[in-house]
Amino acid sequence: MYRLVADLAMVVHFAFLAYLAVGGFLAWRWRRTIWAHVAVVCWALLSVVAGVDCPLTVLEDWGRRGAGLPALPPSGFIDHYIEGVVYPEQYTDVARAAIAAVIAVSYGGYLLRRP
């Protein structure tokens, strides 16, 4: 059961990050979802700027430990699954800037598509 919790938390975390990247574009079609995306962006900013621990990371770590698996590193989910895997660690700031640019473009398009 612990392993299922850990795996489910990991999947939800990846879905959260995907929504962070493309949720603004989804709001072009489903306009009311923009508020959910704004909340996600605010949480991501808070996490990056203030270093607030994500509850999904805490949940996954709890599940991994309960299942007898190695814990996530102290640096967390992003460092474990994304940095050094999807892009080299030295490009973290570039990756963050790229995501911010994608979000800005999606919000610009959202505003331009308003009736």
Side-chain angles (χ1 to χ4, degrees), residues 46-67:
L46 183 65
S47 179
V48 168
V49 173
V52 176
D53 288 336
C54 179
L56 290 170
T57 301
V58 173
L59 181 63
E60 180 185 351
D61 196 45
W62 176 81
R64 290 172 64 92
R65 290 173 191 258

Side-chain angles (χ1 to χ4, degrees), residues 16-27:
F16 180 89
L17 292 175
Y19 186 68
L20 172 66
V22 301
F25 294 106
L26 294 175

Side-chain angles (χ1 to χ4, degrees), residues 7 13-14 40 48 51-52 79 84-85 90 100-101:
D7 290 346
H13 216 153
F14 274 113
V40 166
V48 168
V52 176
D79 287 350
V85 177
Q90 66 264 27

